[in-house]
Amino acid sequence: MKLNFELLRYRLTKISLFIVILLFIFSCDVTKRVPESKRLLTKNEIVIDKKPNHDEVVYFQLYQKPNTSILGYRLRLQLYNLAKQHSDSLYKQWLDRKPKRRARLNRLLSAKQVERLGQSFVVSGLSNFLMKTGEAPAIYDSTAVKKSIKRLNAYYYNKGYFDVETTIEKDTSTTKRIQIKYNVNRKTPYTIDSLKTAITSPMLDSLFRIHNNRTLIKSGKQYDTELLNGERDRITSDFRNNGAFYFQQNYIRYSLDTISTGKKVNVNLIIKDNSYRKNDSTVTEPFRLYKINKVAIYTDQTTSKNEIKVRDSLVYNDFILYSENKLKYRPKAITDAVLITKGSLFSDNNTTLTTKYLSNLRVFKYPTIQYKEDPKDPNGLIANIYLTPRKKYTFGASVDFTHSNIQDFGISGNTSLGIRNVFNGAETFEIGFRGNVGASKDLANPNNTFFNISEIGLDAKLNFPRLFFLFNTEKIIPKTMLPTTTVSMGYAKQQNIGLDKQNFTGSFTYNWVPKKNQNIRLDLFNIQFVKNLNISNYFNVYKSSFDALNNLAIYYDADTNFPQLFSNGKLIIDEGTNGFVNAVLGPNPTITTSADDLKTIRSIEERRKRLTENNLIFASNVSYYKTTSRGVGDNNFYSIRTKFESAGNMLSILARASKQLQNQSGANTFFEVQFSQYLKGEFEFIKHWTLQGKNVIAVRTFAGLAVPYGNSNTIPFSRSYFSGGSNDNRAWQPYSLGPGSSGGINDFNEANMKLSANAEFRCNLFGKFNGAVFADVGNIWNIFDAVDQEAYQFKGWKSLKEMALGTGFGLRYDQGLFVVRFDIGFKTYNPSEQIENKWLREFNLAKSVLNIGINYPF
């Protein structure tokens, strides 16, 4: 009882101290720099038709805004208030306060240095920094308020509220502060009554009437200037994608009639004829629709003036290809990426897509497309496409000198070779070689060779700018979807490093873009093969793990009770280490250890299994990704990612057909390695909302499940799930959370099921520094696999109470190209603790987790 009282008193003391600090911070006078005759603008409120409004777009119309705040605290204003105003003048006053002070300093330094001292960081640097980082007080300005009223009225006028009126109310009840309330009375909005057109060019008038059913201006709709602007964009796009080469948006005008219409608007759409300068006079003529009479592709432009000395040319499917030298490309490889075709009408869309597709080939620099009138046809255009080839060969190399716990000294090197247009079909080929030689005195070295460690690796990738398939897929996946095929392979081999690992990877992948901001990827097959040839040498390589295990074995008198496990006072590798681990962790343990030592031994064994795990995965998968994001600066979007993977089915068929030998556990093997068989599905949803100013709320949800069957009863480590880390639950280290309520007792805690959700509020602090407050929830579990520990398993809805909750805050520095992120997470709800200790028992800095990352977590 006494202990509980002491603990309570300790906590009350901390809470009291925290409250005192908060009171001190919030008690700072924000009006410190506000002149006596002025007032600080502390709040803007907008009331629309007697209802409070919180629309950020509406508040954006106001010219003057209060100082920015973080959860109500005006940090930047307080920083500004901390700065000394006119620090250089104060310095001069201090110099002249005593007659001999300036002269004494001039003798000690020099007159010039004394003057410069006033501009130094010691005297004025901190104040200048605070003023630059901070924010000057928002002094109430009546002129800005009048401008805000006009802007609000104009905003709603453009929304159809032609009779809108705005008044203001001032609240000056607080000393040197003022709050402004804008009362907007929108009144009855005007609606569109009719749309009439006056298009003087017959071809454009006919084209408009053909697509008139798509017009945005319809009778009965509320008037909105954005509707008219949208219609202007639609008409311009429609005309320019149907041959109107010289048409521009500024040719479209509107005339509005609201006289005696009873809150109705009659819209007149006016498009006059084409007007242009010719010599010294202005010529006006009806717009014409142009068709493409010729498409010329210059395949090896070398100058910026689009001038090529043609020495070779050919005609392919109505395209004319020119070259200064012998044509290096198969015509189809280039023309498949060109949507500008002979006989078609001029189209902006086809021009844009052609530029995009040619760039996507990765064998040319950004292409130039120019149009000129055909001198033989007044309604014809000649399209000239200028391509500048990239270098056919690229080469890179690097050398590094290394030192690690395995290598006392090592030399590693990497070389890479890139070849463009390999088979004259705009294919790209990349191959890289890597190697490493090293010296280790800890490894067995009977020949006393200095470099007794080596590793070699080879990676190759071949990319086709089309779907490489048995039959033509153009009707299913047309070239407008940017289809590509990628074949990649990699091989690595380690010798004399102890484990002698072999690693092979291979994939055959299709990619295409069904619509803008969507992507589909299909791995026809994805192979991962890992085999360790010398597993028994593990503890000769990882000496620190062996020493820890050996010391524990001696401590628990294993050398006395099991002398056959030892030689010369040490555990025998590998019989002795396996025997001791089995005596502690086996199904019938004969050695009892403390809880901490048991955790250490389990961690050593679990790490050994992971680093010596053989694996054969032969999988196929398909993934789909969609986002509504319009770019890096867009903070109001959502994205969806789904993936489905199946592994082992083809190998299972081959194993049954060939009566493949089974291993000791009864599973089928290839190359003496058991292959994995499972089904796996994932779903991720991300949503961002933009709030007032630069404030953003971002959320993410994720669900994943991998189910082993057939030849497997567990999921391979590389395909399993883990929890914790800078991009997951930030209150736990990577691999340290779960499974379930087990408490993360291993070094690498993983499972075959995962549920998680994250929420984050992001705001700008000052300059390029941003802050965040976040909450992360989630966990991993085992289900439908060989793990039978109850604490690890997912048992339906009741297991959701094992979702761990981490909360915290972060600081981010936005460099522009990337963001440097610091997040501190606190274990708010820990499902592995006892019921009375689950909530907030580890909510302190001593048990917090610092995460450092690049860019945002989601």
Side-chain angles (χ1 to χ4, degrees), residues 4 12 43 53 68 126 151 161 187 190 250 281 308 321 340 350 366 404 511 523 549 585 641 691 740 832 842 848:
N4 290 335
L12 287 174
K43 184 180 180 181
N53 181 277
T68 57
L126 179 59
R151 205 170 187 178
Y161 299 95
K187 300 183 180 178
Y190 281 64
N250 55 10
S281 59
I308 295 180
L321 289 86
I340 306 167
N350 288 345
Y366 196 80
S404 68
N511 260 293
D523 278 6
L549 193 66
L585 304 178
R641 183 183 66 85
L691 304 179
S832 65
E842 299 174 272
S848 65

Side-chain angles (χ1 to χ4, degrees), residues 426-442:
E427 305 89 356
T428 57
F429 178 69
E430 300 172 21
I431 187 169
F433 173 81
R434 63 185 187 277
N436 173 72
V437 292
S440 177
K441 62 184 179 182
D442 291 331

Side-chain angles (χ1 to χ4, degrees), residues 797-813:
W797 292 107
K798 64 180 181 180
S799 291
L800 294 181
K801 65 183 180 182
E802 297 172 352
M803 298 273 278
L805 173 63
T807 57
F809 57 89
L811 177 67
R812 288 85 188 274
Y813 178 72

Side-chain angles (χ1 to χ4, degrees), residues 19 80 82 87 127 143 155 240 308 316 320 362 387 414 459 488 548-549 575 668 684 712 762 766 773 830:
I19 293 174
Y80 185 90
L82 288 174
S87 55
S127 292
T143 303
Y155 173 79
R240 287 191 59 82
I308 295 180
Y316 178 82
I320 304 176
R362 297 195 298 171
L387 304 176
N414 294 276
D459 299 288
S488 63
L549 193 66
E575 295 87 347
N668 292 309
E684 181 182 60
S712 300
R762 301 167 184 169
F766 49 86
V773 179
N830 190 343

Side-chain angles (χ1 to χ4, degrees), residues 378-439:
N379 295 320
L381 292 176
I382 297 174
N384 294 318
I385 302 174
Y386 299 94
L387 304 176
T388 302
R390 297 178 183 270
K391 291 182 179 180
K392 186 175 181 66
Y393 299 98
T394 57
F395 181 79
S398 65
V399 177
D400 293 310
F401 298 93
T402 60
H403 172 75
S404 68
N405 62 337
I406 297 177
Q407 294 184 115
D408 299 307
F409 175 74
I411 303 174
S412 62
N414 294 276
T415 60
S416 62
L417 174 66
I419 307 175
R420 294 186 174 92
N421 197 38
V422 182
F423 306 120
N424 295 330
E427 305 89 356
T428 57
F429 178 69
E430 300 172 21
I431 187 169
F433 173 81
R434 63 185 187 277
N436 173 72
V437 292

Side-chain angles (χ1 to χ4, degrees), residues 487 732 770 777:
V487 182
W732 278 263
N770 299 318
V777 62

Side-chain angles (χ1 to χ4, degrees), residues 701-752:
T701 58
F702 176 86
L705 174 64
V707 180
Y709 68 98
N711 205 54
S712 300
N713 55 17
T714 59
I715 297 299
F717 181 72
S718 61
R719 296 296 200 270
S720 62
Y721 296 108
F722 72 92
S723 193
S726 62
N727 294 322
D728 194 69
N729 198 319
R730 284 161 280 186
W732 278 263
Q733 297 286 359
Y735 292 97
S736 65
L737 173 59
S741 59
S742 64
I745 60 177
N746 295 324
D747 284 352
F748 299 96
N749 296 281
E750 44 83 24
N752 66 323

Side-chain angles (χ1 to χ4, degrees), residues 437-502:
V437 292
S440 177
K441 62 184 179 182
D442 291 331
L443 299 185
N445 190 8
N447 297 324
N448 199 28
T449 304
F450 181 74
F451 288 112
N452 57 345
I453 293 174
S454 67
E455 180 181 3
I456 59 171
L458 186 70
D459 299 288
K461 182 168 69 173
L462 179 62
N463 181 271
F464 299 88
R466 54 194 171 277
L467 291 189
F468 196 79
F469 207 67
L470 298 176
F471 55 85
N472 191 351
T473 59
E474 176 68 22
K475 293 183 179 180
I476 305 173
I477 304 174
K479 62 183 181 181
T480 55
M481 293 186 181
L482 292 175
T484 62
T485 304
T486 303
V487 182
S488 63
M489 290 186 295
Y491 177 77
K493 183 178 182 180
Q494 298 172 346
Q495 288 185 325
N496 299 325
I497 200 170
L499 303 180
D500 292 350
K501 180 177 293 188
Q502 292 181 342

